[in-house]
Amino acid sequence: MTTTPAWKRVATEADAKEHGLRQSEFEAVTKALGRPINMVELGICSALFSEHCSYKSTKVHLRGLPTKGPRVIIGPGENACVVDIGDNEAVVFKVESHNHPSFIEPFQGAATGVGGILRDVFTMGARPVALLNSLRFGDPSLPKSRYLLRRAVNGIGFYGNCMGIPTIGGELSFHSSFNGNCLVNAFALGVVRQDEVFLGTAAGVGNVVLYVGSKTGRDGIHGASMSSEEFGDDSDAKRPTVQVGDPFQEKLLLEACLEAFKSGCVVGVQDMGAAGLTSSSFEMADRGGNGVRMHLDRVPQREAGMNPYEIMLSESQERMLFIVKAGQEAKLIEIFKRWELDAVAIGEVIAGGNVELFWHGELVSSIPAHLLTSAVPEYNWPTTAPSDLALRAPISGREIPAPEDLSHAWLSLLGHPNTCSRHAVYNQYDSTVRGDTVVHPGSDAGVVRLKSSRGCEKGIAISLDCNSRFCAIDAHQGAALSLAESCRNIAATGASPLGISDCLNMPSPENPETMWQIAGSIKGLGEAARAFDIPVVSGNVSLYNQTHGQGIQPTPLLALVGLLEDASKAVPSHFRRPGDVVLLIGETHEADIGGSAYLAALHGIERGALPKLDFVLERKTCELIRSLADKRLLVSCHDLSEGGLGVAFAECCFRDYEAPLGASLTLARKNTRPDFALFSESGARFLVSVTAQDAAAVKAAVQAAGLIVSGEGSVGGEAITVEGVASIPAAAGFKAWFGGLDGIFEA
């Protein structure tokens, strides 16, 4: 008697529930097909219906984001966006999450997050030139948080360094809400000629489906589904769903793909990321309006006894799916063979729109591609205003005891894990490889130079930002304020914004209060993007970041990319020499102390009315800074954000491994609360240093723009002083700031 293999048997409602598929979704698929589905098809449905692949709980809100602009060549919907930077050149970029895998297995989870985002970029035909990352971990006093941080940073550095791509910036924050769910978001940017962009489409009936790259194993099976689930007691048991990366293999894949793109044979290409061969085949078919036929027994396999279910759902790394002009596949196979990579014709593009899967000549699945991609049901979950709206109430100065020793409080904030130097993280990343990094990690934004044969070389500035604490208090206002900070960070280098890639890290959408946060953050981002006239051109949504019902602080991370027409004009954030004049541009408001790092770190208070956001003032101030940078009038420029004037002023005096500079600053008006003057997080403010001979011209430009200089001083001395407010020894400040993470990174 012949036993039916488990992968061939008919799937039941119980199977669907076990795979995370809703009963209504299971019934809708079987009704649309007019037949039961087998376990292979259930696995495929489960992966493509996951939040990670479908965005089914956020699409209704994401449609409200502005995605078009004069420079946008390709917006959301492809592997990454493509934005015009002139001269037939374009940048390709995207940010994505790898949160759940990184919590389960931090080294491989973070490493493969880097590998995946790189493939998203070079699958478009672009050569990657920069990496950044954004990290969130739990209470840094917990051994688990320290372990996750160290291993995730190791994984990021391992993959990026081995690939030979500079990591030029990022961010790191700690909060107890991340104790059960860390966040690891990876960003990559590449450069491509506009006439050499490739899309993930299965076009041309009869064209060949070519599998290239590493062999398929059993690692990463159910990775997309796992990334769309809440964690429970069994999170460690999900370790087998985390992929294993090989950056040296990906380096070969990168070079082979870039060579293949020049062959004239490639019609379409997509990386096998989340959901592996399943997502790449179904999404390419749907985009092309065609079907795809694949013979799964031809897929290169590194483990014996694999079956169609495992092959379709594996998330083994360093793999791509090509659509190649019929009859020209041998040319591409030869290219990949030279790079010591597998390249096998596993099928062809067909008419009709179905993805047909064969196993040793037997048809084991045939499903319309659109049914599991563009036709996935969308959910408009109910929203309820959070019960803690009182968190947004203004804080009275009477509620906050003034520090007995403000200088001591200043030093304490400089050494706090959320406001100290991040050198312990980024010194594990290579930011110098390729020799094109102009502004390295530690400034407001990283800047890379684009090599060119013309007179001057362009620069690309990149910033990753999100104030999770702001967003936990008011997701709408917090997201908008995060974009305002991003704009200041890009402007501080002298760059003009091009586009936003967002990564919305959120708890469960099924909780009405957290859905309120999700919807609010998207709306806040949309309003701010329109106000700043910057399109949202790519992104990622990561939901169900919670454990046992305890959700993370909402973290709508924003990657903002800007353009410098001349990279040599890029401005760093640090003071550079004694004798330069320091100017504080913009006004400080004591009322903007709500939600501040000062209240959270030194008073244990995470509430209050958030800083007011004046879009017109923010734009005007950023335009002024860009104009001054373009005229080479700025020696340094640093925006004021988390930690306010106190942290920003000290950071301007500090550079990694160098003796700190002293500086003094006199404020134009006296504040009633010195600690609020020092730590308020009012927006539209910059600290700049200029030469003594340029100071008058800069002050005149500020006045002409209708803005104010609210403080003036000079670089030099052995102390960092805000006259009449507080002073700290520069050496002591540097020691507190530079060593803030040392204990966390100890073994």
Side-chain angles (χ1 to χ4, degrees), residues 87 89 449-458:
D87 301 311
E89 292 180 314
R449 176 194 304 107
L450 303 184
K451 288 187 173 72
S452 174
S453 58
R454 64 193 185 95
C456 63
E457 297 176 320
K458 296 173 185 173

Side-chain angles (χ1 to χ4, degrees), residues 307-484:
N307 61 52
Y309 180 98
E310 295 169 324
I311 291 170
M312 286 300 291
L313 295 180
S314 167
E315 293 187 11
S316 294
Q317 296 292 283
E318 295 87 43
R319 302 179 302 158
M320 309 282 272
L321 200 64
F322 275 72
I323 305 298
V324 184
K325 293 177 182 178
Q328 298 188 31
E329 60 272 20
K331 187 185 297 186
L332 257 65
I333 291 172
E334 177 58 29
I335 290 173
F336 285 96
K337 183 179 179 181
R338 284 203 310 275
W339 288 97
E340 300 180 354
L341 295 168
D342 284 308
V344 179
I346 64 169
E348 57 277 333
V349 179
I350 60 175
N354 280 22
V355 175
E356 297 180 354
L357 306 178
F358 286 80
W359 184 245
H360 297 287
E362 178 187 359
L363 179 66
V364 297
S365 174
S366 180
I367 299 178
H370 76 91
L371 181 64
L372 304 186
T373 49
S374 54
V376 169
E378 297 177 15
Y379 298 105
N380 192 355
W381 296 102
T383 61
T384 300
S387 55
D388 57 4
L389 283 178
L391 289 176
R392 307 179 188 183
I395 288 182
S396 166
R398 293 188 299 272
E399 299 178 63
I400 312 300
E404 294 182 6
D405 185 343
L406 185 52
S407 296
H408 177 73
W410 192 357
L411 287 171
S412 296
L413 189 58
L414 287 175
H416 191 275
N418 279 336
T419 42
C420 68
S421 169
R422 269 70 181 114
H423 84 280
V425 174
Y426 58 69
N427 73 354
Q428 300 184 51
Y429 309 148
D430 190 343
S431 66
T432 63
V433 65
R434 298 179 61 86
D436 292 324
T437 305
V438 178
V439 178
H440 291 261
S443 282
D444 291 298
V447 180
V448 288
R449 176 194 304 107
L450 303 184
K451 288 187 173 72
S452 174
S453 58
R454 64 193 185 95
C456 63
E457 297 176 320
K458 296 173 185 173
I460 301 297
I462 311 163
S463 172
L464 294 187
D465 287 293
C466 180
N467 192 316
S468 301
R469 185 171 51 255
F470 279 3
C471 293
I473 295 170
D474 183 342
H476 180 282
Q477 181 78 346
L481 285 165
S482 293
L483 181 55

Side-chain angles (χ1 to χ4, degrees), residues 646-671:
V647 170
F649 191 28
E651 287 176 338
C652 289
C653 296
F654 304 152
R655 295 189 71 179
D656 290 356
Y657 307 109
E658 292 186 11
L661 292 168
S664 62
L665 185 71
T666 300
L667 301 180
R669 70 179 178 87
K670 183 177 177 60
N671 293 68

Side-chain angles (χ1 to χ4, degrees), residues 122-422:
F122 72 75
T123 193
M124 306 290 291
R127 177 173 289 280
V129 297
L131 290 166
L132 291 89
N133 56 82
S134 172
L135 310 174
R136 295 286 188 283
F137 294 94
D139 183 343
S141 69
L142 298 177
K144 176 81 173 199
S145 298
R146 297 197 296 270
Y147 164 76
L148 291 172
L149 170 61
R150 290 195 301 266
R151 294 297 290 158
V153 169
N154 289 162
I156 291 167
F158 165 72
Y159 211 101
N161 295 351
C162 291
M163 284 290 294
I165 299 168
T167 299
I168 64 169
E171 60 157 20
L172 166 67
S173 186
F174 300 92
H175 190 269
S176 59
S177 72
F178 301 102
N179 285 349
N181 284 85
C182 64
L183 301 184
V184 174
N185 292 177
F187 171 94
L189 178 140
V191 182
V192 67
R193 286 177 55 88
Q194 294 180 24
D195 53 2
E196 294 179 356
V197 173
F198 287 86
L199 305 180
T201 180
V205 173
N207 283 334
V208 175
V209 177
L210 193 71
Y211 171 112
V212 307
S214 297
K215 290 179 169 58
T216 295
R218 291 187 171 94
D219 53 318
I221 293 175
H222 292 306
S225 302
M226 176 271 293
S227 294
S228 306
E229 298 171 351
E230 176 182 354
F231 278 151
D233 293 326
D234 62 342
S235 60
D236 283 344
K238 296 179 179 179
R239 196 173 299 271
T241 63
V242 179
Q243 314 93 318
V244 177
D246 181 348
F248 300 106
Q249 191 83 340
E250 179 133 329
K251 175 61 173 173
L252 297 177
L253 182 62
L254 163 63
E255 300 300 339
C257 285
L258 294 180
E259 183 179 340
F261 294 147
K262 298 182 183 301
S263 68
C265 306
V266 179
V267 175
V269 57
Q270 179 141 330
D271 84 296
M272 296 189 215
L277 187 55
T278 287
S279 61
S280 55
S281 58
F282 273 80
E283 290 173 7
M284 291 180 82
D286 187 41
R287 291 193 195 111
N290 289 310
V292 167
R293 178 179 296 132
M294 297 191 298
H295 299 270
L296 300 182
D297 49 288
R298 300 179 189 172
V299 170
Q301 301 157 46
R302 69 165 181 260
E303 299 184 48
M306 293 190 70
N307 61 52
Y309 180 98
E310 295 169 324
I311 291 170
M312 286 300 291
L313 295 180
S314 167
E315 293 187 11
S316 294
Q317 296 292 283
E318 295 87 43
R319 302 179 302 158
M320 309 282 272
L321 200 64
F322 275 72
I323 305 298
V324 184
K325 293 177 182 178
Q328 298 188 31
E329 60 272 20
K331 187 185 297 186
L332 257 65
I333 291 172
E334 177 58 29
I335 290 173
F336 285 96
K337 183 179 179 181
R338 284 203 310 275
W339 288 97
E340 300 180 354
L341 295 168
D342 284 308
V344 179
I346 64 169
E348 57 277 333
V349 179
I350 60 175
N354 280 22
V355 175
E356 297 180 354
L357 306 178
F358 286 80
W359 184 245
H360 297 287
E362 178 187 359
L363 179 66
V364 297
S365 174
S366 180
I367 299 178
H370 76 91
L371 181 64
L372 304 186
T373 49
S374 54
V376 169
E378 297 177 15
Y379 298 105
N380 192 355
W381 296 102
T383 61
T384 300
S387 55
D388 57 4
L389 283 178
L391 289 176
R392 307 179 188 183
I395 288 182
S396 166
R398 293 188 299 272
E399 299 178 63
I400 312 300
E404 294 182 6
D405 185 343
L406 185 52
S407 296
H408 177 73
W410 192 357
L411 287 171
S412 296
L413 189 58
L414 287 175
H416 191 275
N418 279 336
T419 42
C420 68
S421 169
R422 269 70 181 114

